[in-house]
Amino acid sequence: MDILRLPAVGEFLRAATQLYNHGWAERNAGNISMILDEDFSSLKSIKEFPLSFSAEGMSGRCVLITGSGKYLKNAERDPENNVALLRIKDDRCELLWGLADGGKPSSELAAHLLSHSARLKADPAHRVVMHTHATHAVAMTFVHSLDEREFTRTLWQMATEAIMFFPDGVAVLPWMPCGTDEIGRATAEKMSDRRVVVWAHHGVFGSGASPDEALGLIETVDKAAEFYLLTAHLPIRQKINDSQLREMAAVLGVKPREGYLI
Ligand code: 13P
Ligand code: ZN
């Protein structure tokens, strides 16, 4: 099977390039994973990587993920060396394709697999988890309260349609060491009822049914954060208020997270 011919794989690789073009994927920053539904039973395991966590509902599934230390800017040009196709088992994963010049799956594998597990329970159409160092969203974590309600409300107030893109709100994790099972578990817990998690002073995790959807979600968060940073130091003369947010939510047919609007 030529996995590079699958349309979803093309979209995955394009998203890696798009993250780089945004300026959000310096060096090896960021990682993407996508559940693939095709039948890969003809592919044999090349090698195995142990898992120190258990991602419920993921055993038997196949996941495409960028490699640790690999540069997202190179993924589309050279997928076989920068990306891995994994078959997930209970306590390990098998490499079925990719990482041809060596290496391991992303160091954020726990956050990816545990988030897939959490999102699939909330939304059967879920397929993609994306982590990137989105500039404005990260910058905002230095100057804004990290309270999730306050953070979300500010973002909603910054762009008329923001409430449509993330009505469940944006989750925020305080600074933690990255690449650990602990940050993976904390991220997945937030993902159980939201699609986007900001890691203070580090980056953003977004999810969706496709690479376009996950990337689009992170773009909307980052754009709202950019408006905030462009205006936070200026006298605000008018803004979108709560009754306008309610009006917008009604027009768009979305239900804002309970208790977030006044
Ligand atoms: P990896 O190269 O291991 O995917 O790590 C990049 C990153 O952004 C860690 O948070
Ligand atoms: Zn990162």
Side-chain angles (χ1 to χ4, degrees):
M1 151 164 320
D2 184 358
I3 82 149
L4 294 175
R5 294 179 82 100
L6 299 173
V9 173
E11 210 188 313
F12 175 104
L13 297 171
R14 252 189 329 276
T17 303
Q18 287 161 346
L19 289 175
Y20 177 73
N21 290 342
H22 275 310
W24 297 346
E26 68 284 354
R27 201 177 185 280
N28 64 306
N31 22 79
I32 313 173
S33 68
M34 176 170 62
I35 296 170
L36 291 176
D37 297 314
E38 285 74 10
D39 178 8
F40 295 107
S41 54
S42 62
L43 298 183
K44 301 276 165 285
S45 171
I46 300 166
K47 62 168 118 166
E48 294 189 347
F49 303 100
L51 297 178
S52 50
F53 54 87
S54 150
E56 205 188 320
M58 290 299 290
S59 188
R61 287 196 182 260
C62 290
V63 173
L64 196 65
I65 186 165
T66 50
S68 186
K70 308 285 187 178
Y71 294 20
L72 291 194
K73 70 175 175 188
N74 295 333
E76 192 170 16
R77 179 179 56 77
D78 184 14
E80 207 153 351
N81 285 321
N82 291 287
V83 176
L85 176 65
L86 305 176
R87 185 187 292 129
I88 313 302
K89 300 282 181 172
D90 288 330
D91 59 349
R92 63 191 193 284
C93 53
E94 299 172 343
L95 177 67
L96 301 182
W97 175 92
L99 296 182
D101 61 359
K104 295 196 291 192
S106 171
S107 59
E108 307 296 0
L109 184 64
H112 283 263
L113 295 188
L114 295 169
S115 293
H116 281 302
S117 172
R119 287 309 307 156
L120 278 174
K121 280 183 209 159
D123 174 13
H126 162 85
R127 290 293 178 275
V128 175
V129 171
M130 187 178 286
H131 166 58
T132 190
H133 296 180
T135 310
H136 304 96
V138 174
M140 188 168 157
T141 66
F142 289 90
V143 295
H144 193 280
S145 155
L146 298 183
D147 176 85
E148 290 173 339
R149 179 174 175 275
E150 291 306 315
F151 203 90
T152 298
R153 283 178 51 78
T154 295
L155 294 176
W156 283 352
Q157 287 162 0
M158 285 297 142
T160 296
E161 290 166 297
I163 200 161
M164 168 168 82
F165 302 128
F166 41 93
D168 297 327
V170 171
V172 183
L173 285 183
W175 184 89
M176 293 169 78
C178 59
T180 65
D181 291 359
E182 194 190 0
I183 202 167
R185 283 196 190 93
T187 304
E189 200 181 308
K190 302 285 189 191
M191 283 279 189
S192 64
D193 62 356
R194 274 156 294 196
R195 294 188 302 130
V196 59
V197 182
V198 172
W199 285 3
H201 321 323
H202 181 145
V204 181
F205 265 78
S207 62
S210 65
D212 267 0
E213 208 179 271
L215 175 56
L217 174 60
I218 298 172
E219 286 170 340
T220 64
V221 169
D222 196 77
K223 174 58 87 66
E226 183 175 9
F227 286 143
Y228 170 74
L229 293 170
L230 285 170
T231 56
H233 59 295
L234 299 173
I236 302 295
R237 298 177 59 154
Q238 51 275 320
K239 63 198 277 187
I240 303 173
N241 62 36
D242 280 61
S243 85
Q244 289 168 326
L245 285 172
R246 280 186 200 286
E247 204 181 325
M248 203 59 222
V251 168
L252 297 166
V254 296
K255 194 170 171 296
R257 192 178 188 85
E258 195 70 39
Y260 271 30
L261 290 179
I262 297 164

